C-alpha cells in the first residue's frame, strides 16, 4: 500500500498554499491584470501551480493536494480567487475550472513519467494540453451550470464563443509558463526528482 | 491590503453556535446549501432569510463584522442580479431602460437568484466565523472516515489541510516581502510588454519556492523527530464530542426545513 512520509505531506500542503497565492497573485503583482475587451482580467497562476504540483509531487500526491485545496475552499477558508470560499464557488459557472485542477495535476504527473521534463518542448506540450483539458472541462461545466441550476439558457456554442478570448490568453500564457517552469526546474535542481 | 487578507476569520465569542460540535455545523451548513435551492416563492425566501439572520445573531458576532466579511461578494450578488434582469425574457414588460425591456419574470428571477447567493454566502461564512480551522479539519477527518474503506487517505488529507492553514499567512507575507525586495533591487514589475511582465514573475517565484520548500523540509524533519508515523493509533488532545445542544440544534434545523416545505406550497 502507498505510505506517506512526513515530507510528502508537508510538500503537498505547501502546494495548497501556493495555489492560494497563485489565485490571488494580482494582490502582489497588480500588473498581471491584462485588458481583454476593455476589462482588466486578473491573471491567475493557479493552472501553473496545478501543473507544477503534478510535475514535482507526482500524480498521486498532486491529486491529493489539489483535492485538499478544493476541500479547504469548500469548507469556507478563503483560498479561491478574490478570496472567495464556500461550496457555492464550485457551483458557480466557473467552478469547472477549479475542478479541472485536480485532473491537470494528475495529467501533468502522468505526462512527466512519459516525457523528459528538462526540455522546453515537452514542458510546452504539458502546459498546452493541460490548458486545453482545463477549458474542455471548464466550459462544459459552465454550460451545464448555466442551464441546469443557474436558469440561464445559453447554447453550448455560445458558451465556447464567450470563452475564446480567455482560451487564447491562456494558450499564450501556457507558452510563457513552460519556459518559466523550465527555469524553475533548472534553477532549483533538487526539485526535479520529485518522490514519485 | 493586509486587512483584506484575513484568513480563517475566526472570531472568538461565547455563544451556542461556537460551542456546537464542528461536525454538526458542517452537516447542517451542507444541508442548508442544498435546501436553499428548494425555496420557490417570496415566503420561503423570507423564512430562510429569517433563519439565517437569526443564526447570525445567535453567534453574538457583530453583524457589521459579518457584513464586512461579505464585502468581496457584494459585487457578485449585484452582478448576478443584473445579468438576470437583462437576459431573462419572461412575463410582461415592466419598463424600459435605454431601450432594454425589463420583464417581470426577470425581476423576480433576479431577486430570487441573488437572494439565494446571499443566503449561501452568509450561512457558509458562519462556519469559519465560529469554528477554528483546526476544529474544521478534525471534523472533516471524522466525517470522511468511511472513505478509508476504499483506501482514500483521509487522515493524510486532513493533516495536509491543517498544515496549509498554518502556512497560508506566513507564505503570503513572504510573497509580499519578496516582491518588495525584488522591486527595490530594480526588477521592473510595471512596464513593458506582457511577455516581459510575465517573465518578471521568475524573480518572485524562485525565492518563494526556495523558502516554501525549506519550510516544508524543516517541518517534515520536525514531524519525524517527534515520531510521526501516520494516522494509525494517533491520539488527540481535544476529542470531538456530540452533546445535547447538538441534538437540539439539529431538531431546530429540521423544523426549519419542514417549515420551508410547508411554505413552498403557499
Amino acid at each position: 500500500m502507498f505510505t506517506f512520509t512526513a515530507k510528502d505531506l508537508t510538500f503537498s500542503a505547501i502546494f495548497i498554499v501556493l495555489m492560494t497565492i497563485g489565485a490571488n497573485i494580482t494582490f502582489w503583482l497588480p500588473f498581471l491584470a491584462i485588458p481583454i475587451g476593455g476589462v482588466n482580467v486578473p491573471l491567475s497562476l493557479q493552472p501553473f501551480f496545478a501543473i507544477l504540483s503534478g510535475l514535482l509531487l507526482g500524480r498521486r500526491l498532486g491529486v491529493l493536494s489539489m483535492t485538499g485545496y478544493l476541500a479547504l475552499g469548500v469548507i469556507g477558508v478563503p483560498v479561491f480567487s478574490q478570496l472567495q470560499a464556500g461550496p457555492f464557488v464550485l457551483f458557480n459557472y466557473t467552478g469547472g475550472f477549479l475542478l479541472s485542477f485536480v485532473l491537470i495535476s494528475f495529467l501533468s504527473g502522468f505526462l512527466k513519467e512519459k516525457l523528459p521534463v528538462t526540455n522546453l518542448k515537452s514542458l510546452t506540450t504539458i502546459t498546452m494540453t493541460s490548458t486545453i483539458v482545463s477549458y474542455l472541462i471548464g466550459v462544459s461545466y459552465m454550460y451545464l451550470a448555466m442551464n441546469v441550476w443557474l436558469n440561464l439558457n445559453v447554447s453550448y456554442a455560445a458558451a465556447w464563443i464567450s470563452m475564446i478570448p480567455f482560451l487564447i490568453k491562456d494558450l499564450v500564457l501556457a507558452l510563457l509558463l513552460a519556459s518559466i517552469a523550465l527555469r524553475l526546474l533548472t534553477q532549483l535542481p533538487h526539485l526535479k526528482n520529485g518522490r514519485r | 491590503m493586509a486587512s483584506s487578507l484575513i484568513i480563517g476569520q475566526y472570531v472568538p465569542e461565547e455563544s451556542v453556535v461556537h460551542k456546537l460540535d464542528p461536525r454538526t455545523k458542517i452537516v447542517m451548513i451542507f444541508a442548508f446549501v442544498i435546501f436553499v435551492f428548494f425555496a420557490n416563492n417570496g415566503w420561503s425566501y423570507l423564512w430562510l432569510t429569517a433563519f439565517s439572520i437569526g443564526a447570525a445573531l445567535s453567534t453574538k458576532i457583530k453583524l457589521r463584522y459579518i457584513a464586512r466579511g461579505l464585502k468581496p461578494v457584494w459585487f457578485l450578488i449585484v452582478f448576478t442580479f443584473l445579468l438576470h434582469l437583462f437576459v431573462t425574457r419572461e412575463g410582461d414588460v415592466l419598463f424600459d431602460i435605454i431601450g432594454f425591456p425589463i420583464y417581470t419574470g426577470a425581476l423576480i428571477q433576479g431577486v430570487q437568484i441573488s437572494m439565494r447567493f446571499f443566503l449561501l454566502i452568509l450561512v457558509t461564512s458562519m462556519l469559519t466565523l465560529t469554528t477554528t480551522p483546526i476544529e474544521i479539519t478534525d471534523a472533516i477527518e471524522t466525517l470522511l472516515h468511511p472513505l478509508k474503506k476504499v483506501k482514500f487517505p483521509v487522515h493524510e488529507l486532513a493533516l495536509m489541510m491543517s498544515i496549509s492553514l498554518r502556512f497560508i499567512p506566513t507564505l503570503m507575507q513572504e510573497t509580499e516581502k519578496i516582491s518588495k525586495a525584488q522591486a527595490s533591487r530594480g526588477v521592473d514589475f510595471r512596464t513593458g510588454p506582457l511577455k516581459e511582465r510575465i517573465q518578471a514573475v521568475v524573480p518572485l517565484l524562485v525565492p518563494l519556492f526556495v523558502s516554501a520548500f525549506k519550510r516544508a523540509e524543516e517541518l517534515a524533519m520536525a514531524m519525524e523527530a517527534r515520531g510521526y508515523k501516520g494516522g494509525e493509533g494517533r491520539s488527540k488532545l481535544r476529542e470531538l464530542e456530540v452533546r445535547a445542544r447538538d441534538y437540539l440544534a439539529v431538531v431546530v434545523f429540521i423544523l426549519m426545513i419542514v417549515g420551508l416545505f410547508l411554505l413552498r406550497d403557499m
Side-chain angles (χ1 to χ4, degrees), chain B residues 24 28 51 244-258:
Chain B
T24 319
M28 284 201 298
F51 174 79
R245 56 174 169 254
D246 292 296
Y247 291 113
L248 193 68
V250 171
V251 169
V252 171
F253 186 77
I254 291 174
L255 287 177
M256 192 280 289
I257 298 298
V258 172

Side-chain angles (χ1 to χ4, degrees), chain A residues 71-142:
Chain A
L72 211 55
V74 166
I75 59 169
V77 185
V79 292
F80 296 143
S81 60
Q82 278 126 47
L83 298 178
Q84 293 184 56
F88 66 91
V89 180
L90 282 187
F91 289 113
N92 205 347
Y93 49 88
T94 52
F97 289 97
L98 284 172
L99 293 173
S100 76
F101 294 145
V102 180
L103 199 81
I104 290 182
S105 181
F106 178 85
L107 190 72
S108 52
F110 176 77
L111 287 176
K112 175 192 87 161
E113 292 163 15
K114 312 279 163 209
L115 302 164
V117 290
T118 40
N119 68 51
L120 190 60
K121 211 173 132 201
S122 52
L123 278 175
T124 313
T125 320
I126 293 175
T127 52
M128 292 295 244
T129 1
S130 302
T131 310
I132 290 165
V133 167
S134 154
Y135 269 79
L136 279 176
I137 299 175
V139 177
S140 307
Y141 186 92
M142 181 185 247

